[in-house]
Amino acid sequence: MPRTEKTALVLSAGGLYCAWQAGAWKAIAGVDPPDLVVGASAGALNGWPIAGGCAPDLLIERWLDPGTSDVLRLIPKYGWRNGYFDPEPLRIQTEKMVAEFQPRIPFGVALVAMPRLQTILVQHPRVTAKHLLASCAIPLVIPSVAIDGVRYVDGALIDKVPVRGALEMGATRMIVLDCMPALDIWWLRFGAGALRVLRGKPRLPAGMESIVIQPREPLGDMRSGLLWKRENIERWIDLGFRDATRALRASNGKCL
C-alpha cells in the first residue's frame, strides 16, 4: 500500500544558533528522515541543503567553516532604513547553495510580504536564491528583498517556527527543530505576532503526532547569535545532536 503519512522537518529561525539544527539533523537523518522540509530564516538555509540530500557531516562542516563569519558583516554606513549588515556575502552564499543543491523532496520557505505583514509560503520549484536571501532579511539587520515587485523579509517576523507552512504542504506528522525557544526576539516586540512568537512552545495541531526538539541548555545571548565563533558553533552542534538523540528515543524508542 502507498505510504500516506507525511513527516515534515520544520526548522525554526535562529541566526547562527541554527548550527544547533545541524547537530540535530545528524541524529535524525538516518533514523527518521522527513518527507518534506520547511524552514524560516536561517532554518531555511539549513532546510534547502537538507532537502537536497546534503549529508549531515557536510552540513556541519559548512557551519564550522570560518567563512561563515563573513555572512553577517557590519557596515557602519548602513542604517535603520537598509539594515546594519552588508547583504552581499549572504547573497553570494545563497546563490552558491542553490547552484550546489536542488531539493529532492518538497521544500518550502516562510516569508513575510511587506508592507501588509502577510505570511506566505514559497515552495520549490518556485524558490530562488532571492527567496532564501529574503528569508534572512531581518528588519534593521538585513534589507528587505524585492521579488516580482513585492518586498519580502524574514518569516520569523511573524512566526519563528513555520508550522502552518508544513500543514499547507500536507504534513501529517512533524519533527520540529526549534533552536530559540526562550530567546527574546527584540524586533518582534513591534510586530503583530510578537506575543505568540515569544512563547516557549510552537503551536501544533491537536492530535497530530509531533516531536518538538529544543535546546536543553541556553545557547547564548543575541550577540552570540549574530557573531560567529568556532567554540560556540561546536558546542551548539554537539548539543543539537544530544538533544535530538534524547528526544527521538523518548518519543518512539528508536536507537541510533
Side-chain angles (χ1 to χ4, degrees), residues 80-93:
W80 68 271
R81 289 182 181 276
N82 296 314
Y84 287 93
F85 290 84
D86 183 1
E88 188 64 10
L90 184 57
R91 182 191 66 79
I92 293 171
Q93 177 180 316

Side-chain angles (χ1 to χ4, degrees), residues 111-120 150-155 157-158:
L111 301 174
V112 170
M114 301 294 284
R116 287 186 165 184
L117 294 179
Q118 177 185 3
T119 301
I120 69 162
V150 179
R151 301 204 73 87
Y152 295 96
V153 296
D154 190 340
L157 181 66
I158 300 299

Side-chain angles (χ1 to χ4, degrees), residues 3 16 22 26 44 119 126 130 183 224 237 242:
R3 180 179 176 182
L16 293 177
K26 184 171 183 176
T119 301
R126 291 182 53 230
K130 279 191 171 184
L183 185 65
S224 298
I237 289 171
R242 290 188 283 116

Side-chain angles (χ1 to χ4, degrees), residues 94-250:
T94 55
E95 290 181 353
K96 286 182 177 179
M97 188 182 298
V98 168
E100 185 176 357
F101 298 100
Q102 282 294 309
R104 301 176 184 177
I105 59 176
F107 169 80
V109 55
L111 301 174
V112 170
M114 301 294 284
R116 287 186 165 184
L117 294 179
Q118 177 185 3
T119 301
I120 69 162
L121 177 74
V122 182
Q123 299 184 51
H124 179 72
R126 291 182 53 230
V127 178
T128 67
K130 279 191 171 184
H131 292 95
L132 295 177
L133 176 59
S135 75
C136 295
I138 304 169
L140 306 182
V141 178
I142 298 289
S144 62
V145 178
I147 304 173
D148 298 329
V150 179
R151 301 204 73 87
Y152 295 96
V153 296
D154 190 340
L157 181 66
I158 300 299
D159 203 345
K160 65 169 182 172
V161 184
V163 168
R164 285 177 294 177
L167 292 173
E168 187 175 329
M169 293 174 69
T172 60
R173 176 175 179 267
M174 297 188 194
I175 300 175
V176 178
L177 298 184
D178 179 9
C179 61
M180 42 192 280
L183 185 65
D184 187 352
I185 314 170
W186 55 270
W187 70 86
L188 289 176
R189 294 175 183 173
F190 304 99
L195 294 177
R196 176 168 48 82
V197 174
L198 291 176
R199 292 196 185 109
K201 284 275 189 180
R203 284 188 176 179
L204 299 170
M208 175 177 283
E209 181 186 352
S210 302
I211 304 172
V212 179
I213 307 174
Q214 297 174 320
R216 290 170 62 89
E217 302 173 9
L219 297 184
D221 56 17
M222 180 64 72
R223 180 181 177 85
S224 298
L226 293 175
L227 300 177
W228 187 92
K229 288 186 178 181
R230 185 181 179 93
E231 57 267 33
N232 285 341
I233 300 295
E234 289 176 340
R235 182 175 74 85
W236 298 336
I237 289 171
D238 178 67
L239 181 61
F241 179 81
R242 290 188 283 116
D243 288 338
T245 298
R246 183 182 296 109
L248 290 175
R249 286 176 173 166

Side-chain angles (χ1 to χ4, degrees), residues 31-53:
V31 177
D32 204 347
D35 300 297
L36 61 95
V37 181
V38 59
S41 195
L45 301 189
N46 278 334
W48 179 270
I50 287 173

